[in-house]
Amino acid sequence: MMSLMSEDDIYKYWLEDGFGIFNSLFEENIRELRGYLSCMDGYLKAEEQREITQLEEASNKLHEAHRGEYFAEHYPYEWERIFAHHLRHSFITALMSLTEDHLNSFCNNTALLLKSPITHKDLKGSILETGWKYLKSLALFQEPKDHEWKVVVDIYKLRNAIVHNGGRIEGALNEARLKTFIRDAPGISIPSLGMLSITNEFCLFALERVETLFKELHNQQETLRLRLIEQCKAVT
């Protein structure tokens, strides 16, 4: 259908209808990620508790002097140290992939509304950084505020440390900045050997920051669309 329409007709189509279909798809993806995290976290906790219960039953059959050593030796540490560790790292990676993809589409759609020959792709930096610059400087978005962008950019840089540096902060790009972010953010730490320790709390924190960022962006884009409609009416 779009291939048969003129550029002016395509512009009028998006100007009148908006980009709700893109924004709704993003919101659905966020709900899916939230459900996935809740389901997997619940499963891991339930399985860990099941093995702990079995271990308690087995250790209680032993002489009291041997129970503590037996319990410590057979405790199912792998549920938190291995399974939950990889789940949360992969969750942050998936969340940032969704963020990159939607922000790219969002900036392209905003450029279409503005009829701008310049897009975020003409700027230097990551998609998070170029999107921030483009929407603030060229689209003149008032929201989100700089500190809200910075948090999501830091989560993105954390994702890069997970993907490109094996989850180690020592020696990662932006090491000093990441350490400051980790110090201030909830549910994340560097307990030993420079390796990230991420809890479910941080995953929810990251999800909520991304969700809030795009809610504000969607509102700003809708405000822009309505303003452009009024300008078109004034001209005609």
Side-chain angles (χ1 to χ4, degrees), residues 9-232:
D9 287 339
I10 292 173
Y11 179 76
K12 288 178 182 177
Y13 174 85
W14 289 119
L15 185 63
E16 292 173 3
D17 287 18
F19 298 99
I21 187 171
F22 292 94
N23 301 342
S24 295
L25 179 60
F26 169 78
E27 291 164 3
E28 181 179 342
N29 291 153
I30 284 289
R31 286 194 295 270
E32 289 172 352
L33 273 178
R34 190 187 301 277
Y36 166 76
L37 180 65
S38 175
C39 178
M40 293 305 297
D41 188 66
Y43 171 76
L44 292 175
K45 287 180 178 176
E47 288 301 300
E48 180 184 44
Q49 186 55 54
R50 182 179 64 81
E51 290 197 14
I52 290 172
T53 299
Q54 291 176 345
L55 179 60
E56 288 173 341
E57 292 173 354
S59 62
N60 285 338
K61 296 176 182 178
L62 301 176
H63 189 280
E64 186 174 354
H66 303 296
R67 289 176 186 171
E69 181 181 354
Y70 180 85
F71 193 87
E73 184 178 346
H74 294 85
Y75 190 88
Y77 296 103
E78 66 274 10
W79 289 104
E80 181 63 32
R81 292 182 180 177
I82 300 175
F83 303 136
H85 169 84
H86 288 291
L87 165 68
R88 292 163 189 161
H89 280 212
S90 66
F91 177 84
I92 296 299
T93 301
L95 176 64
M96 288 297 99
S97 293
L98 173 62
T99 301
E100 285 181 300
D101 182 63
H102 185 61
L103 184 58
N104 184 61
S105 296
F106 182 89
C107 288
N108 286 336
N109 293 340
T110 302
L112 189 155
L113 281 180
L114 294 170
K115 293 186 175 180
S116 173
I118 301 174
T119 73
H120 65 291
K121 295 175 183 177
D122 297 311
L123 306 177
K124 292 183 179 180
S126 70
I127 176 61
L128 270 294
E129 292 163 331
T130 59
W132 181 1
K133 293 173 188 175
Y134 181 79
L135 296 170
K136 180 180 178 181
S137 302
L138 294 175
L140 303 180
F141 281 12
Q142 301 299 308
E143 304 284 346
K145 299 301 184 186
D146 285 353
H147 68 89
E148 295 175 287
W149 275 106
K150 182 179 181 299
V151 170
V152 177
V153 169
D154 284 345
I155 296 169
Y156 182 76
K157 292 183 183 299
L158 189 74
R159 169 264 180 201
N160 288 342
I162 292 171
V163 172
H164 301 299
N165 205 46
R168 294 183 299 276
I169 299 304
E170 299 294 336
L173 288 175
N174 306 290
E175 178 182 337
R177 176 171 174 170
L178 284 172
K179 285 182 176 178
T180 299
F181 173 67
I182 290 167
R183 182 194 66 203
D184 298 334
I188 186 169
S189 61
I190 314 173
S192 63
L193 302 176
M195 291 292 293
L196 276 173
S197 175
I198 296 176
T199 68
N200 195 61
E201 180 185 16
F202 179 78
C203 291
L204 288 172
F205 166 80
L207 183 75
E208 288 164 3
R209 290 302 177 274
V210 169
E211 185 176 25
T212 298
L213 186 89
F214 278 110
K215 280 182 179 178
E216 294 179 353
L217 286 176
H218 295 163
N219 289 339
Q220 288 288 298
Q221 189 184 67
E222 181 64 6
T223 299
L224 170 64
R225 186 181 72 86
L226 295 175
R227 185 170 71 246
L228 291 172
I229 288 175
E230 291 303 313
Q231 290 175 0
C232 288

